[in-house]
Amino acid sequence: MPPGKNAVSCIRKRQRCAQTVPTTTPQLLPSAKRRKLERQPQDKTPSSFRNTVLRQWLSPREFDSRTGQRAAPLPPDLSGLEKDHSQSLKRFARHGGPSLDDLRPYPDPTAASSPIQPMSSSQLGSRNRAKSRSTSDRSTRTRKSSAYDGGFEQHLIDHCIYPEGYGGARNVQEPDNWEEINAKLVLPRESLSPSRFTREDFLLFKDRNQDALTEGTVMSKAFPMIIGDADIPFQLNLPFGNLADLTDGSITKAQPDFYDGSRPADLNKRIREQLGPYIVPSTTTNAPCLPNFFVEGKGPTGSASVAKRQACYNGGVGARGVLKARSFIDSETALDDRAYTITSTYHGGTGTLKLYTTHPAPSKNPEYSTEYRMTQLRGWDMTDHPDTFRQGASAIRNARDWAKEQRDALILAANGIAPGTRSTRGGSPVHSMLSSSTTRIAQPESDTSTDELAVNPLPDARSARNTPVGIRSSSTRRSKKRAARASKASGGLIHSS
């Protein structure tokens, strides 16, 4: 082979080898290496010589020059222009900057929305009021306390709602019908007789109560065996959001675990509308109204003191509603020192059942016209013995029936004097109807309960104190007062029956 051809073939081989050697781009080099390469002095070797080298290492600039790519230009140095043009740039920016009319997506200034107008003083005032209202709402939500707070009981006391035992056991002011209610509680019931409620039933209750680990399970599994299945309207865990605040609005609304009431259709619509904030507990209008029987339950880890505070609160709400209904009928005899509301607590951990009454009375505090007092009736250990269970279950079922009797008497009397009906002043047919209805209600048989009493009918002749009458007529009170004055004048020889 001629020498010339041999040299050309070697050069071609070197070029092919140079094309197959992988080169390193500036993007793949680490920053430290890139700065090192940039600091190196430029190679002065001619390119004709480098082409003859078998293996070549090209700098980024040389690589760009051979491949025809231009290196990215360095940004201009504007450090010296800051001071010269800063004022002009600020002035230029104050006048709106460059025109954007030539940009395709830029909207037409004539079609753009009108500029934002400054808000008037009235708009600013309404906006500030709305902001302050929302702020106050948030603060109100955060500051409301409940029976789980330690200061809740004192809050009730400050508003003349006194818990059981307040002031000492010797200073407890029991309602005038406290003995009457207790006599009602001890009446036996056929459904709880030993032949109907056996020891096996008692053991079943103990198992359910033992397995109930939460308050909800206690109220859904164990408590139904205590309360029975009477045909009385009730609701579970319903918030009383429709009622007016019992105190100053700084505590949460009442939400009893269980309560009894009357069907709204049984009470005149105009009365429901007029007394709604006191006797219609929920915005759900078909919920039972005029509640006067409440139960608070707790699980094994629940607090008995919390349940008692809740019962005190519920009793005050119920007693206030009954007082409003009685005042609607006759404001002069509304405060009679008698109880028409019953509350109860059941603790699943200890199996303790307690019953209380709540009754209104004239307040000794000049800031309040009425106070509400909570008084204990009885208590039972429901897991102790079958006989103890029968006594406690009979008592709470009898209390439900008694509370229903009071509601029925109130509704009957209120419907008789509802707007559009005949007047009820002085010996009117309404009072006669009320007296006859309450006498009928006092009989032991209840047509609203499948759990009837296992006792003989009580005698018809009863004293006024032992008869569970919802409302005493004013004429009866006047006749008793006259008889008492006559007895006192005659030296005690005349006695009223």
Side-chain angles (χ1 to χ4, degrees):
M1 181 179 296
K5 292 183 178 181
N6 188 11
V8 173
S9 62
C10 290
I11 293 173
R12 289 178 179 176
K13 287 181 181 180
R14 292 180 184 138
Q15 290 178 351
R16 285 197 297 270
C17 292
Q19 292 176 0
T20 58
V21 173
T23 59
T24 304
T25 61
Q27 290 78 8
L28 299 179
L29 288 174
S31 59
K33 292 185 177 180
R34 189 181 307 168
R35 290 194 299 268
K36 184 176 180 180
L37 291 175
E38 291 174 355
R39 288 195 300 267
Q40 290 179 354
Q42 295 183 359
D43 191 7
K44 302 297 183 180
T45 307
S47 59
S48 58
F49 172 81
R50 289 195 297 269
N51 291 336
T52 59
V53 180
L54 179 62
R55 192 172 183 177
Q56 302 179 32
W57 294 96
L58 303 178
S59 65
R61 189 177 299 276
E62 181 66 22
F63 176 81
D64 294 338
S65 63
R66 293 195 180 197
T67 57
Q69 298 180 1
R70 297 180 59 185
L74 296 175
D77 186 9
L78 303 178
S79 58
L81 299 177
E82 272 186 34
K83 298 181 180 179
D84 299 338
H85 299 280
S86 59
Q87 297 298 331
S88 60
L89 288 175
K90 290 180 181 179
R91 189 182 307 107
F92 183 65
R94 282 197 301 269
H95 288 80
S99 176
L100 304 178
D101 295 340
D102 296 335
L103 298 180
R104 182 173 296 177
Y106 188 73
D108 187 4
T110 59
S113 59
S114 59
I116 299 177
Q117 299 293 334
M119 299 180 68
S120 62
S121 60
S122 60
Q123 292 174 335
L124 287 173
S126 61
R127 183 175 182 180
N128 293 334
R129 285 193 298 270
K131 185 183 298 184
S132 63
R133 191 183 306 114
S134 62
T135 305
S136 63
D137 292 343
R138 288 194 298 269
S139 62
T140 302
R141 287 195 297 268
T142 55
R143 68 181 177 87
K144 283 184 178 293
S145 62
S146 66
Y148 291 89
D149 299 325
F152 184 82
E153 182 173 305
Q154 185 59 45
H155 177 85
L156 296 180
I157 295 173
D158 293 339
H159 291 81
C160 295
I161 305 168
Y162 300 109
E164 189 271 334
Y166 177 77
R170 299 182 183 274
N171 298 324
V172 172
Q173 299 180 12
E174 297 174 348
D176 288 348
N177 57 345
W178 185 84
E179 294 180 358
E180 172 191 323
I181 300 174
N182 270 293
K184 176 78 173 180
L185 300 182
V186 298
L187 296 178
R189 301 183 75 92
E190 182 181 358
S191 62
L192 292 171
S193 61
S195 60
R196 297 277 298 274
F197 187 84
T198 63
R199 181 175 177 79
E200 292 298 325
D201 296 326
F202 174 70
L203 296 178
L204 175 61
F205 165 75
K206 291 192 66 174
D207 289 340
R208 291 185 178 181
N209 190 76
Q210 183 69 25
D211 295 338
L213 302 180
T214 63
E215 177 180 320
T217 312
V218 168
M219 297 302 296
S220 62
K221 298 296 183 180
F223 183 72
M225 296 188 67
I226 300 175
I227 201 68
D229 56 353
D231 185 17
I232 299 177
F234 71 93
Q235 279 296 324
L236 299 173
N237 204 31
L238 182 70
F240 283 6
N242 191 56
L243 296 183
D245 294 324
L246 185 61
T247 60
D248 58 1
S250 62
I251 58 177
T252 58
K253 297 287 187 178
Q255 186 174 346
D257 293 331
F258 180 98
Y259 86 93
D260 281 345
S262 298
R263 294 179 177 86
D266 295 341
L267 186 61
N268 186 281
K269 182 180 178 181
R270 295 184 179 181
I271 301 177
R272 295 200 312 267
E273 293 176 351
Q274 182 174 345
L275 303 180
Y278 305 101
I279 65 173
V280 180
S282 174
T283 54
T284 305
T285 55
N286 59 345
C289 65
L290 194 60
N292 68 335
F293 180 85
F294 306 89
V295 179
E296 286 293 339
K298 292 298 174 186
T301 59
S303 172
S305 60
V306 171
K308 187 176 178 181
R309 290 195 289 265
Q310 290 173 330
C312 181
Y313 186 26
N314 297 337
V317 171
R320 181 190 62 174
V322 174
L323 178 61
K324 292 293 183 180
R326 288 176 54 81
S327 300
F328 177 83
I329 299 169
D330 189 354
S331 59
E332 296 180 357
T333 61
L335 286 174
D336 59 353
D337 290 331
R338 294 170 64 87
Y340 301 93
T341 303
I342 290 181
T343 60
S344 174
T345 60
Y346 178 71
H347 196 284
T350 60
T352 305
L353 175 68
K354 290 188 176 183
L355 294 181
Y356 306 88
T357 63
T358 302
H359 72 283
S363 176
K364 299 177 182 179
N365 190 335
E367 297 181 4
Y368 300 93
S369 60
T370 308
E371 65 183 26
Y372 300 93
R373 291 191 170 272
M374 180 183 185
T375 308
Q376 182 175 342
L377 288 168
R378 292 286 303 276
W380 300 266
D381 184 357
M382 303 300 288
T383 59
D384 175 52
H385 191 272
D387 291 339
T388 309
F389 179 91
R390 295 187 186 99
Q391 295 172 7
S394 298
I396 195 171
R397 297 181 190 187
N398 292 336
R400 291 188 72 191
D401 291 343
W402 180 87
K404 183 181 183 301
E405 294 169 4
Q406 313 311 308
R407 292 194 305 272
D408 291 345
L410 281 172
I411 291 175
L412 183 63
N415 288 340
I417 63 173
T421 60
R422 296 180 59 183
S423 175
T424 64
R425 298 299 178 187
S428 62
V430 174
H431 283 289
S432 302
M433 180 173 57
L434 177 60
S435 301
S436 61
S437 65
T438 52
T439 303
R440 183 172 59 255
I441 291 172
Q443 300 299 325
E445 294 83 11
S446 174
D447 58 353
T448 61
S449 174
T450 58
D451 187 13
E452 296 183 354
L453 298 172
V455 295
N456 296 326
L458 299 177
D460 294 335
R462 299 181 179 181
S463 64
R465 180 178 178 83
N466 294 330
T467 303
V469 179
I471 302 175
R472 297 181 181 181
S473 63
S474 58
S475 60
T476 303
R477 287 180 174 272
R478 286 193 295 268
S479 62
K480 287 191 174 184
K481 290 180 180 179
R482 286 195 298 267
R485 287 194 297 268
S487 175
K488 183 178 181 180
S490 60
L493 299 178
I494 300 176
H495 299 279
S496 59
S497 57

